[in-house]
Amino acid sequence: MATINDNYLKLKAGYLFPEIARRVNAFAQANPDAKIIRLGIGDVTEPLPQACRTAMIQATEEMGERTTFKGYGPEQGYLWLREKIAAHDFHARGCEVDAEEIFISDGSKCDTGNILEIFGKNNTIAVTDPVYPVYVDTNVMAGNTGEANEAGEFAGLVYLPITAENNFTAQIPSQKVDLIYLCFPNNPTGAVATKEHLKAWVDYALAHGSIIFFDAAYEAFISDAEIPHSIYEIEGARDCAIEFRSFSKNAGFTGTRCALTVVPKTLTAKASDGSDVELWKLWNRRQSTKFNGVSYIVQRGAEAVYSPQGQVQTKQLVSFYMENAKIIREKLTAAGFHVYGGVNAPYVWVKTPTGLSSWDFFDKLLHTVNVVVTPGSGFGAAGEGYFRISAFNSRENVEEAMRRITEKFKV
């Protein structure tokens, strides 16, 4: 008889966002007249930029002519898109990233999980707490952890608490770790990392032969000129870091799917015989074997992000969502909540009222004011007692949600 991957059985509860959807759907079915406002999942609401839509329409027309039709594209992505990314996102910030080191994919969520395939099973892995759940769950699925304790912490992972007490800064571990997940601007707390802080992490990784998985999916939302957008702005990072980026939030591609991963050719890790192996070659082989590439039409849309019109339009999108974040932050602060984030990131991280757990307050908001947020405990044990609010929604919905919450709850 066929057997299963028993590691999946360690995942005691459903993935955070499907569990939110389950509770919301159950409430909606029982209360069909309720006007629910969803500020939980970080899904965008505003239309794709005109420049992207125009490029995608043109690309669709090209697919209708034999002379311009495109079949299978390069698994790594079309070079014309990779060159634009290298020039605009990295060279313009003084980062040494070659177009061939950029791999186009259908999502950073996928890549941050799939990247584990090129690493061994004996690595010590560190994650921040709270943390984007995909980092933890994909390690569980891959067999890199033991069972979870009552707090939801999995044996075999090194947890690095980021809390109000340490200013949501990921502390350098005292022990040696091999793989390190860092996400800045941070999901869920909205915190950012200074150059000095990232330099400390790069120095640690270089000293211990560690690899940093740097998730920069929200870099476009950074407004502070002193905050780095890429880990490759830090000297030495090419020898210790892989960076993940996405078009999902800055250009609204959550429904069209396009992202990128940077694997420097200078980056190596050890084989079982002690030799150094280039990770670029392994990831290139993995992608060539298991991935057929992002569609030509979508990649043309992503390329348009870097046109003069696209740059203006994506900046307008980012500004729109950050104005939402400002409204959320200011309204909840005025109501007495302890509020964090929402300045260089589209997420606002909020302390629950005294005596209420994250899921308790989630249910209370849903049932009393029909507003959906994300319970902080879903991001890890250190997230208990907090909730995350997403700025990705219409202005009307954000303002109405804040009116409902602040009228009902005074902390």
Side-chain angles (χ1 to χ4, degrees):
M1 178 178 289
T3 61
I4 65 165
N5 177 354
D6 283 345
N7 293 305
Y8 277 68
L9 302 181
K10 299 175 188 174
L11 300 167
K12 302 297 183 182
Y15 178 55
L16 172 62
F17 298 111
E19 173 60 18
I20 290 173
R22 186 192 68 77
R23 295 193 185 203
V24 173
N25 290 338
F27 175 79
Q29 290 175 9
N31 302 272
D33 295 329
K35 295 181 179 179
I36 300 172
I37 298 176
R38 302 169 191 262
L39 298 178
I41 295 177
D43 194 4
V44 296
T45 59
E46 304 309 296
L48 287 172
Q50 180 64 56
C52 299
R53 300 199 307 269
T54 299
M56 293 169 79
I57 290 169
Q58 176 59 41
T60 303
E61 293 297 328
E62 291 176 29
M63 298 296 274
E65 299 291 337
R66 182 179 296 276
T67 56
T68 53
F69 174 80
K70 298 291 189 298
Y72 290 124
E75 295 91 349
Q76 301 81 3
Y78 285 99
L79 188 56
W80 38 259
L81 174 56
R82 299 158 79 192
E83 287 175 340
K84 290 283 178 62
I85 293 168
H88 287 264
D89 290 341
F90 296 104
H91 299 169
R93 301 195 67 83
C95 302
E96 184 187 346
V97 172
D98 187 80
E100 289 191 353
E101 297 174 322
I102 297 169
F103 294 80
I104 307 301
S105 76
D106 57 353
S108 290
K109 177 182 178 180
C110 306
D111 281 2
T112 55
N114 292 334
I115 198 70
L116 292 172
E117 294 184 25
I118 68 173
F119 289 93
K121 299 295 184 183
N122 57 345
N123 289 299
T124 302
I125 300 162
V127 296
T128 58
D129 181 14
V131 68
Y132 183 41
V134 171
Y135 308 156
V136 172
D137 288 359
T138 51
N139 272 288
V140 175
M141 295 170 179
N144 293 336
T145 74
E147 298 289 341
N149 62 20
E150 291 184 358
E153 298 169 325
F154 285 91
L157 294 181
V158 175
Y159 288 88
L160 309 173
I162 50 176
T163 64
E165 288 69 33
N166 64 16
N167 200 29
F168 300 101
T169 300
Q171 299 297 311
I172 305 294
S174 56
Q175 72 269 50
K176 177 184 180 296
V177 296
D178 302 302
L179 303 178
I180 305 158
Y181 288 84
L182 296 179
C183 174
F184 291 108
N186 185 254
N187 176 15
T189 68
V192 290
T194 64
K195 289 182 178 179
E196 292 74 19
H197 184 55
L198 288 185
K199 182 64 165 60
W201 272 110
V202 168
D203 289 346
Y204 171 91
L206 292 173
H208 292 88
S210 311
I211 301 294
I212 297 171
F213 297 152
F214 190 74
D215 188 344
Y218 301 96
E219 60 81 25
F221 295 87
I222 295 173
S223 58
D224 186 339
E226 297 301 312
I227 300 299
H229 289 239
S230 169
I231 198 165
Y232 301 123
E233 294 179 48
I234 309 302
E235 184 179 358
R238 282 183 55 83
D239 296 322
C240 67
I242 294 172
E243 183 164 306
F244 306 90
R245 290 197 178 201
S246 175
F247 291 92
S248 284
K249 307 301 167 59
N250 66 325
F253 272 49
T254 56
T256 46
R257 313 305 304 146
C258 196
L260 62 109
T261 293
V262 180
V263 183
K265 291 186 176 181
T266 53
L267 193 57
T268 64
K270 294 292 185 183
S272 58
D273 63 3
S275 62
D276 291 324
V277 178
E278 295 178 21
L279 293 177
W280 182 92
K281 290 182 178 179
L282 299 186
W283 186 244
N284 186 57
R285 179 58 189 271
R286 190 270 172 199
Q287 293 297 83
S288 298
T289 301
K290 289 192 169 186
F291 185 57
N292 269 340
V294 176
S295 81
Y296 171 73
I297 295 168
V298 169
Q299 289 192 63
R300 280 300 187 193
E303 181 193 30
V305 166
Y306 301 103
S307 68
Q309 300 90 340
Q311 289 287 283
V312 170
Q313 292 160 14
T314 52
K315 283 181 173 62
Q316 289 172 340
L317 268 183
V318 168
S319 295
F320 175 82
Y321 290 126
M322 288 311 298
E323 181 63 26
N324 281 351
K326 179 181 179 182
I327 291 169
I328 295 168
R329 191 179 71 249
E330 291 180 349
K331 293 293 185 183
L332 293 183
T333 298
F337 285 89
H338 294 287
V339 180
Y340 309 91
V343 177
N344 291 290
Y347 295 121
V348 181
W349 188 242
V350 189
K351 190 109 177 90
T352 60
T354 303
L356 290 176
S357 71
S358 296
W359 278 107
D360 285 344
F361 196 61
F362 168 88
D363 287 331
K364 199 171 188 66
L365 282 177
L366 176 61
H367 288 265
T368 59
V369 296
N370 308 152
V371 174
V372 178
V373 297
T374 309
S377 59
F379 297 101
E384 178 54 75
Y386 292 89
F387 60 97
R388 190 195 75 176
I389 297 185
S390 166
F392 295 113
N393 215 304
S394 68
R395 183 64 44 77
E396 179 184 5
N397 278 349
V398 166
E399 291 177 341
E400 172 61 15
M402 291 305 100
R403 183 192 66 77
R404 294 182 192 178
I405 293 174
T406 55
E407 286 183 0
K408 185 68 177 180
F409 300 96
K410 298 292 182 182
V411 181

